[in-house]
Amino acid sequence: MLLIKGGYLMDPSSGREGKADVLISDDGKISKICTVIDETKLPDADLIKIIDADGFIVTAGLIDGHVHFRDPGQTYKEDIITGAASAAKGGYTSVIMMGNTIPAMDDPKTLRYALEKGAKTGIHVYVCGNVTKGMEGKELTDMEALKDAGAVLFSDDGKPVIEEKLMIEACKRSARLHKVISLHEENPEYIKENGVNSGNAAQSLGLTGSDRMAEITMVKRDIEIAKETGCTLTIQHISTKEAVDLIREAKEQNIPVCAEATPHHFSLTDEAVIRYGTLAKMNPPLRKESDRMAIIKGLKDRTIDVIATDHAPHSIEEKKKDFKDAPSGIIGLETAFSLGLRELVNPGYLTLMELIERMSIDAARIYNIPGGCLKEGKEADIMIFNPDESYVVPSKFASKACNSPFIGQTLPGVIKYTISSGKVVYSSEQ
């Protein structure tokens, strides 16, 4: 058994908070939550492992609905084992892998490979199935077979589904299967070079960049498709204020559309490209301060449902290429919660409980997966952190990659323990 003593409990599923002890049984479930648990009166008291959480906050393990672990196919960047270790270090107990792997997640065999390897990591690794075969946007996958193999959602993340009739049929099928389609919304007609917002930042590199209409036009189209088909859509890594407004209007009309925001899109603007170069290159690109603030407002009023990292590891050699040739994306699992504290909680935009909700229970609800709660009888997926301690982001991560613009910055909030199914999968003391 494991006993967490003296922590300040915050349960995002119920809003409960206060000093409490948490007892975890050998089956990995929470067996008791009480103000004080006297371990000397428990059976086999001498075998109980105790975590002293005095001064720390005990809450649900984080859930990320959007990560890239590059496995199979590009494991020099990351693999499922190192990706999961990075997640655990960041307080995550559940992640959903995107399917732009090699081969793509368009057949049951590839899904089963990822799930079997994920089961060995200590955290909960879920997978998506692709919307189209090979992510080529030409032919739909066998969504039913992918669901039966374990897909918890469908996505061609990294590419938009351009063909409207194909998208409509995909949504109809997904709605029948009661699964969400998660969408990368960038219309290539509006993109000269990807990874940088059109404007001053692009011009400083001698580029034209990606116009904001690339996102706006796709979001507008797919809201109409969601309205027509009844399929729940998640708009990934939203980057423009106009798209936030479109999502807000859709929700007011009860259209089944959700949205996610990344820590980099609520923390940085396109000025970061001038400072950090390829370490700030991502799709969709960082935009303007007005866009950043619109994303924060959307997180506050629940227009944007979840915070997802879009953890996108690349090698040092790849990121050292010229801006135009370097791949887009940054890692994010190990800094996401701290950026939420710095950019959202400390300035007063979100309460701490709201941040935890956006990073745990809200994703569990959308994708219908377990987690995000601290209740007796439930799986013991727990994050313990010190909100008053800070750290300097190192150049070496649990991830294989180090493509982050936040290296060297001082961030608040230190993850002390991550517990998945009752087992400690990360400890800052190790």
Side-chain angles (χ1 to χ4, degrees), residues 89-337:
K89 188 175 180 180
Y92 289 90
T93 52
S94 298
V95 297
I96 302 176
M97 283 179 56
M98 292 292 102
N100 59 340
T101 50
I102 304 172
M105 296 282 184
D106 61 0
D107 72 279
K109 181 180 178 181
T110 307
L111 262 70
R112 285 193 290 268
Y113 160 82
L115 288 170
E116 289 170 4
K117 194 167 182 180
K120 301 174 183 178
T121 64
I123 69 167
H124 310 288
V125 177
Y126 300 96
V127 295
C128 79
N130 293 134
V131 178
T132 67
K133 292 183 178 180
M135 295 178 57
E136 294 179 352
K138 297 177 181 179
E139 183 181 358
L140 295 181
T141 57
D142 185 341
M143 290 181 163
E144 187 170 1
L146 293 175
K147 176 186 175 183
D148 291 344
V152 296
L153 60 87
F154 297 105
S155 180
D156 274 3
D157 177 44
K159 295 181 179 180
V161 180
I162 295 295
E163 176 55 50
E164 186 170 345
K165 289 182 180 179
L166 195 69
M167 179 63 183
I168 291 171
E169 180 58 29
C171 286
K172 289 179 178 178
R173 293 188 188 183
S174 191
R176 288 196 294 268
L177 296 172
H178 304 289
K179 291 295 182 184
V180 176
I181 295 183
S182 186
L183 293 170
H184 184 111
E185 302 285 56
E186 285 195 293
N187 188 336
E189 290 183 11
Y190 295 91
I191 301 172
K192 180 67 174 176
E193 303 95 4
N194 67 16
V196 60
N197 185 46
S198 292
N200 293 339
Q203 291 169 9
S204 72
L205 297 168
L207 304 175
T208 301
S210 173
D211 190 271
R212 61 200 304 106
M213 290 302 295
E215 177 173 277
I216 297 164
T217 55
M218 294 295 291
V219 171
K220 186 177 294 186
R221 185 203 73 172
D222 290 335
I223 285 173
E224 289 303 311
I225 292 176
K227 182 179 180 180
E228 175 185 340
T229 63
C231 178
T232 300
L233 302 179
T234 295
I235 307 302
Q236 298 177 346
H237 37 49
I238 202 162
S239 71
T240 62
K241 61 184 179 182
E242 292 89 348
V244 176
D245 289 339
L246 287 168
I247 298 294
R248 184 176 290 110
E249 292 168 9
K251 289 194 170 191
E252 290 171 354
Q253 299 174 46
N254 295 316
I255 298 173
V257 179
C258 305
E260 66 178 38
T262 69
H264 41 277
H265 283 107
F266 66 65
S267 298
L268 301 170
T269 69
D270 58 357
E271 294 297 314
V273 173
I274 299 172
R275 180 175 181 182
Y276 300 110
T278 62
L279 291 180
K281 180 182 181 181
M282 58 204 62
N283 298 336
L286 301 169
R287 308 245 186 226
K288 298 298 181 182
E289 176 66 10
S290 58
D291 298 303
R292 188 182 79 88
M293 292 307 301
I295 290 167
I296 290 173
K297 180 181 178 183
L299 284 166
K300 176 63 178 176
D301 67 14
R302 288 190 177 275
T303 295
I304 300 174
D305 303 84
V306 295
I307 294 169
T309 65
D310 191 14
H311 177 82
H314 295 292
S315 70
I316 294 173
E317 292 75 19
E318 288 169 325
K319 278 294 190 178
K320 282 185 175 179
K321 293 180 180 180
D322 290 341
F323 192 93
K324 188 176 179 180
D325 298 323
S328 293
I330 67 172
I331 58 172
L333 286 164
E334 296 174 50
T335 54
F337 186 69

